[in-house]
Amino acid sequence: MTDDVQNVPAAATGSVRRSRDVPLLVERARAGDPRAVARLITLVESGDEVLPQVAAALAPYAGHAQVVGLTGSPGVGKSTTTNELVRALRARGHRVGVLAIDPSSPFTGGAILGDRVRMQDHATDPGVYIRSMSSRGHLGGLSAATPQAVRVLEGAGCDVVLVETVGVGQAEVEVASLADTTLVLLAPGMGDAIQAVKAGILEIADVFVVNKADRDGADATVRDIQGMIALGERGPGEWRPQVVRSIAARGEGIDDIAAAIDKHRDWLERHGELRRRREARAAAEIEAIALGTLRDRIGSLRDGTQLPTLAAKVAEGAIDPYAAATELLEQLGA
């Protein structure tokens, strides 16, 4: 989506950038106003006090978009693959949203937010919305605000939302709890057969994409992944991860990736797994919001006497930390 908004009065367009009028913002976002979408995501990222109103206004539009996660180690070509997938999806007539998560510095808290630089081909396409988000120290490859940002893009009418994670390691698998379909990207030379069978990120893949398949070692990488898949135990009718080759920088293999995503979507719908995954996603969102509220309440206790008093008792050995935690939760009404 571009910043040019048709059929929107100039005064209304200007006010959207700073507005906290949730009904107006949702109305404009539904009409395709990229400024309204940007403002809603900003409210989500900042944890604004109107966030519950935003969530309530977007609730009727939830669950309509297909959410596809792309993850993998740094340098495997996630941004380039995302860019080419956007091209393929637009050719099908889909409206596409992209959330590109970039790492934030543990020292300054800043982030380059550079993934969208690789997606400039779509910068003027009104059917594409690209947003870079900082991880803000959140572990798991995503930002804490990503689930609600997905809801904003769903509310804005996106048919497909692509979530590109931070370059991740073996244990950063949070994207699997957010996406309907998870793509794990690999590249030749990233490890041997032992690396392929290690637990973690490779276990979350619905589709494996061996990118940069023109490099030496691509055949061995495919064989290692296929061997790993063969070791897994699957019951009748269970999904068997697909392995696809691509050279995203040349646009090769992208149709095969899209076909594998379609095949997985069909399987999800036939087996009722799509509903199960989305209910699990909703449960994770509810839990995260509840825990965040508890953390805020506990943080406020630091300014009072309850937490310091309990801490002093634990330090003196008068009570144990579990008893102190139980007492603290009782005081919070939890």
Side-chain angles (χ1 to χ4, degrees), residues 13-96:
T13 301
S15 65
V16 159
R17 294 184 178 184
R18 298 173 298 277
S19 176
R20 296 172 74 251
D21 183 340
V22 173
L24 170 66
L25 290 171
V26 172
E27 177 186 351
R28 295 300 186 197
R30 294 287 296 167
D33 181 347
R35 294 183 180 89
V37 178
R39 181 59 178 158
L40 285 168
I41 294 179
T42 296
L43 292 174
V44 166
E45 283 194 283
S46 63
D48 193 279
E49 62 181 18
V50 300
L51 184 51
Q53 298 175 43
V54 173
L58 294 172
Y61 313 110
H64 300 298
Q66 181 180 9
V67 183
V68 178
L70 296 92
T71 190
S73 302
V76 296
K78 294 188 298 296
S79 295
T80 306
T81 301
T82 300
N83 184 66
E84 295 304 315
L85 271 176
V86 170
R87 195 187 312 280
L89 292 166
R90 289 295 293 142
R92 298 180 176 185
H94 294 314
R95 293 186 69 183
V96 183

Side-chain angles (χ1 to χ4, degrees), residues 283-298 329:
E285 282 186 70
I286 295 167
E287 182 180 19
I289 292 168
L291 290 174
T293 302
L294 280 175
R295 279 194 297 270
D296 290 342
R297 290 183 183 178
I298 291 172
L329 289 172

Side-chain angles (χ1 to χ4, degrees), residues 1-2 86 90 94-97 122 124-129 158-159:
M1 295 179 183
T2 67
V86 170
R90 289 295 293 142
H94 294 314
R95 293 186 69 183
V96 183
H122 310 291
T124 58
D125 186 344
V128 179
Y129 184 89
C158 290
D159 302 302

Side-chain angles (χ1 to χ4, degrees), residues 69-72 78 99 101-102 115 140-142 163-168 175:
L70 296 92
T71 190
K78 294 188 298 296
L99 295 175
I101 316 302
D102 279 313
D115 281 338
L142 300 178
V163 181
E164 178 194 331
T165 74
V166 169
V168 298
V175 68

Side-chain angles (χ1 to χ4, degrees), residues 85-174:
L85 271 176
V86 170
R87 195 187 312 280
L89 292 166
R90 289 295 293 142
R92 298 180 176 185
H94 294 314
R95 293 186 69 183
V96 183
V98 178
L99 295 175
I101 316 302
D102 279 313
S104 56
S105 168
F107 303 105
T108 66
I112 295 177
L113 302 181
D115 281 338
R116 59 184 170 187
V117 173
R118 299 188 180 94
M119 304 180 202
Q120 286 303 302
D121 295 348
H122 310 291
T124 58
D125 186 344
V128 179
Y129 184 89
I130 301 171
R131 174 75 173 227
S132 289
M133 300 174 68
S134 167
S135 63
R136 300 192 180 192
H138 184 77
L139 300 178
L142 300 178
S143 161
T146 305
Q148 292 303 318
V150 168
R151 290 187 179 275
V152 171
L153 293 181
E154 284 185 314
C158 290
D159 302 302
V160 181
V161 178
L162 302 177
V163 181
E164 178 194 331
T165 74
V166 169
V168 298
Q170 291 171 334
E172 292 158 309
V173 297
E174 188 177 4

Side-chain angles (χ1 to χ4, degrees), residues 119-271:
M119 304 180 202
Q120 286 303 302
D121 295 348
H122 310 291
T124 58
D125 186 344
V128 179
Y129 184 89
I130 301 171
R131 174 75 173 227
S132 289
M133 300 174 68
S134 167
S135 63
R136 300 192 180 192
H138 184 77
L139 300 178
L142 300 178
S143 161
T146 305
Q148 292 303 318
V150 168
R151 290 187 179 275
V152 171
L153 293 181
E154 284 185 314
C158 290
D159 302 302
V160 181
V161 178
L162 302 177
V163 181
E164 178 194 331
T165 74
V166 169
V168 298
Q170 291 171 334
E172 292 158 309
V173 297
E174 188 177 4
V175 68
S177 66
L178 176 70
D180 300 324
T181 300
T182 300
L183 275 57
V184 172
L185 276 68
L186 305 131
M190 301 296 285
D192 56 14
I194 300 300
Q195 195 76 12
V197 299
K198 286 185 177 180
I201 190 171
L202 297 184
E203 293 183 304
I204 68 171
D206 298 306
V207 178
F208 287 102
V209 179
V210 179
N211 192 34
K212 306 183 182 181
D214 53 338
R215 293 186 176 182
D216 291 341
D219 290 341
T221 300
V222 171
R223 284 196 302 270
D224 290 342
I225 296 303
Q226 289 176 333
M228 182 204 70
I229 293 171
L231 291 175
E233 294 184 4
R234 292 177 182 82
E238 289 189 24
W239 174 254
R240 181 184 176 89
Q242 306 288 290
V243 183
V244 181
R245 300 172 188 245
S246 70
I247 309 173
R250 300 207 298 252
E252 297 178 13
I254 303 303
D255 288 341
D256 293 335
I257 297 174
I261 293 171
D262 290 342
K263 185 175 181 180
H264 184 244
R265 173 65 181 245
D266 291 342
W267 179 85
L268 290 172
E269 291 179 338
R270 287 199 316 272
H271 291 80

